[in-house]
């Protein structure tokens, strides 16, 4: 069988599936692209394998998403799959194939389901993808809200940054601006650990054809509120909240993220530790529970010493599977807000 394309005669034997792919490409594809496919003997294998993968995605993804997110009503936007990105002849994989290869299959499936994958592959701009190995950490209250593709698309965009952003060029507490309403993604490096918005980085600066990939351990969720609102929602920390809201107090904090070690009202009231003190004493008390920068739970190591805003030393200890700060047990950790990270401790420092 032969075919004349762009003045060239191309001879090849086509299997039924090859012919099917050829027919797909003919619709809406310029002859130049088809010619590139059949004059490069390696291209057909790439297209063939990827066509099989995409066929599986289209047929299997919707039911799997419905199982993952009850009442999920996302309609696949990419039933007409674009394969144009596979006509490149360089050796680098496209960013989605590379992300799947690195273990981010579920993440890539969701990109296809929400229409974001097609946008990525068809864009002429580089992009940075933060690829989670697991999505099991998505909390139930978020899962229940995913009744359509809108919220899922927003969460996925929080894993996308314009341009090529290499983590090796960043320093601790640097900020990346995501495609989700320019929400910040926080880069932290402490001891031997590196994280992005609290998710441990497992692999970074992986080059792909149209961008760069950083692989993280878990799905990252955009913070919905600031630290004060986060504490107010829980209705357990009114003493801390009242002080944090004070204009005079807020002027004592620099305009960058902090780590807050907070105590519930009941545990403060039990000691009558602060209620009768002056504002100045109350301010000093709370400042002794706040540390500049992000310090996620996984970055806190045994015998680490943090310096609070008031200059006092906070010593981290780890034993019997428990983490303490100045001998106070950390009972809840990594409550993430737009301007800080909150750990709940058992008693005042």
């Amino acid at each position: 069988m032969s075919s004349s394309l762009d003045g060239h005669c191309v001879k090849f034997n086509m299997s039924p599936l090859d012919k099917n792919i050829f027919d797909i490409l003919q619709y809406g594809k310029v002859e130049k692209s088809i010619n590139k496919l059949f004059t490069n003997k390696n291209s057909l294998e790439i297209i063939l394998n990827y066509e099989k993968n995409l066929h599986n995605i289209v047929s299997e993804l919707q039911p799997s998403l419905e199982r993952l997110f009850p009442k999920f009503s996302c309609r696949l936007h990419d039933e007409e799959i674009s394969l144009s990105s596979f006509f490149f002849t360089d050796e680098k994989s496209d960013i989605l194939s590379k992300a799947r290869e690195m273990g981010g299959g579920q993440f890539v499936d969701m990109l296809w389901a929400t229409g974001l994958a097609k946008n990525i592959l068809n864009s002429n701009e580089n992009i940075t993808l933060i690829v989670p190995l697991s999505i099991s950490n998505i909390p139930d209250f978020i899962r229940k809200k995913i009744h359509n593709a809108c919220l899922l698309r927003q969460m996925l965009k929080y894993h996308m940054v314009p341009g090529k952003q290499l983590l090796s060029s960043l320093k601790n507490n640097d900020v990346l601006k995501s495609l989700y309403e320019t929400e910040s993604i926080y880069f932290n490096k402490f001891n031997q650990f590196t994280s992005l918005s609290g998710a441990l980085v497992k692999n970074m600066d992986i080059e792909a054809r149209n961008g760069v990939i950083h692989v993280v351990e878990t799905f990252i969720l955009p913070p919905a509120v600031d630290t004060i609102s986060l504490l107010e929602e829980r209705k357990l920390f009114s003493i801390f909240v009242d002080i944090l809201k004070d204009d005079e107090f807020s002027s004592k904090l620099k305009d960058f993220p902090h780590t807050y070690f907070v105590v519930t009202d009941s545990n403060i009231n039990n000691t009558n530790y602060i209620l009768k003190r002056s504002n100045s004493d109350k301010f000093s008390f709370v400042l002794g529970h706040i540390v500049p920068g992000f310090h996620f739970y996984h970055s806190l190591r045994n015998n680490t010493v943090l310096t609070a805003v008031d200059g006092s030393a906070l010593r981290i200890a780890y034993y019997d599977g428990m983490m303490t700060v100045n001998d106070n047990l950390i009972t809840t950790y990594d409550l993430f807000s737009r301007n800080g990270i909150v750990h709940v401790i058992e008693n005042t420092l």
Side-chain angles (χ1 to χ4, degrees):
M1 182 177 181
S2 67
S3 175
S4 179
L5 299 171
D6 289 348
H8 299 283
C9 184
V10 181
K11 294 184 177 181
F12 48 86
N13 295 319
M14 298 182 69
S15 70
L17 188 52
D18 294 338
K19 179 64 168 60
N20 186 37
I21 298 171
F22 183 78
D23 291 339
I24 291 173
L25 290 171
Q26 279 185 307
Y27 293 96
K29 296 294 179 185
V30 297
E31 288 188 348
K32 184 177 180 181
S33 294
I34 302 173
N35 191 32
K36 284 185 179 180
L37 169 66
F38 287 101
T39 55
N40 184 339
K41 68 177 183 179
N42 293 324
S43 292
L44 182 58
E45 181 181 0
I46 294 172
I47 293 291
L48 181 62
N49 290 335
Y50 205 76
E51 189 272 344
K52 290 178 181 178
N53 289 336
L54 292 182
H55 181 272
N56 290 335
I57 291 172
V58 171
S59 61
E60 299 293 338
L61 178 57
Q62 184 71 32
S64 66
L65 280 175
E66 287 176 347
R67 289 192 296 271
L68 181 61
F69 303 116
K71 300 182 180 179
F72 186 90
S73 61
C74 171
R75 182 171 176 267
L76 293 180
H77 294 269
D78 293 292
E79 293 171 0
E80 297 178 2
I81 300 297
S82 171
L83 301 177
S84 58
S85 62
F86 295 93
F87 294 115
F88 289 95
T89 57
D90 61 54
E91 295 180 356
K92 293 181 181 177
S93 299
D94 78 276
I95 197 165
L96 297 184
S97 296
K98 178 60 77 171
R100 191 181 293 280
E101 177 187 326
M102 299 303 297
Q106 287 180 304
F107 177 73
V108 174
D109 288 347
M110 289 191 288
L111 290 175
W112 278 110
T114 55
L116 292 173
K118 185 175 181 179
N119 296 342
I120 292 170
L121 291 180
N122 288 343
S123 174
N124 293 323
E125 303 293 330
N126 284 323
I127 193 167
T128 297
L129 278 187
I130 300 169
V131 178
L133 295 176
S134 172
I135 62 171
S136 62
N137 64 307
I138 299 178
D140 289 340
F141 76 92
I142 292 290
R143 291 173 184 258
K144 292 176 182 178
K145 292 180 181 179
I146 305 182
H147 293 168
N148 55 56
C150 183
L151 179 58
L152 181 56
R153 181 188 289 260
Q154 292 174 343
M155 291 196 301
L156 294 174
K157 281 188 173 182
Y158 189 55
H159 294 71
M160 301 162 63
V161 179
K164 282 189 174 182
Q165 304 290 338
L166 299 178
L167 297 190
S168 56
S169 66
L170 301 182
K171 61 183 184 298
N172 189 40
N173 287 321
D174 275 352
V175 172
L176 301 175
K177 293 296 183 180
S178 74
L179 288 179
Y180 172 48
E181 299 179 357
T182 67
E183 282 283 1
S184 296
I185 300 171
Y186 295 95
F187 172 79
N188 294 100
K189 190 169 185 178
F190 196 77
N191 295 325
Q192 71 271 37
F193 295 95
T194 300
S195 66
L196 289 169
S197 290
L200 279 173
V201 175
K202 307 298 288 185
N203 209 334
M204 66 181 184
D205 295 351
I206 304 164
E207 296 274 357
R209 182 185 300 131
N210 42 345
V212 65
I213 292 170
H214 310 305
V215 179
V216 295
E217 194 171 54
T218 54
F219 204 82
I220 57 175
L221 298 170
V225 295
D226 61 20
T227 300
I228 291 175
S229 299
L230 184 150
L231 293 174
E232 283 183 317
E233 286 177 353
R234 284 157 176 77
K235 304 182 186 305
L236 298 171
F237 309 99
S238 62
I239 294 174
F240 265 82
V241 167
D242 289 345
I243 297 171
L244 291 174
K245 281 184 171 181
D246 189 286
D247 290 338
E248 183 182 350
F249 176 85
S250 60
S251 66
K252 298 179 180 295
L253 295 179
K254 301 293 184 182
D255 189 22
F256 54 73
H258 290 82
T259 298
Y260 300 78
F261 293 93
V262 302
V263 188
T264 62
D265 294 338
S266 60
N267 284 348
I268 294 175
N269 289 336
N270 285 343
T271 61
N272 202 25
Y273 187 75
I274 194 174
L275 300 183
K276 295 181 180 180
R277 291 189 169 200
S278 66
N279 276 352
S280 177
D281 287 340
K282 290 179 181 180
F283 292 170
S284 295
F285 164 74
V286 173
L287 289 173
H289 289 72
I290 301 175
V291 177
F294 279 110
H295 296 277
F296 289 93
Y297 189 82
H298 60 74
S299 70
L300 301 176
R301 315 308 296 170
N302 192 40
N303 292 323
T304 296
V305 177
L306 306 176
T307 302
V309 176
D310 72 343
S312 59
L314 306 185
R315 182 175 295 277
I316 304 299
Y318 184 83
Y319 50 86
D320 292 336
M322 298 180 293
M323 189 83 72
T324 64
V325 52
N326 287 2
D327 296 325
N328 284 287
L329 182 66
I330 300 176
T331 58
T332 304
Y333 54 87
D334 288 358
L335 301 177
F336 188 33
S337 76
R338 285 178 175 165
N339 59 337
I341 186 80
V342 173
H343 305 302
V344 181
I345 58 177
E346 203 167 35
N347 292 298
T348 56
L349 298 175

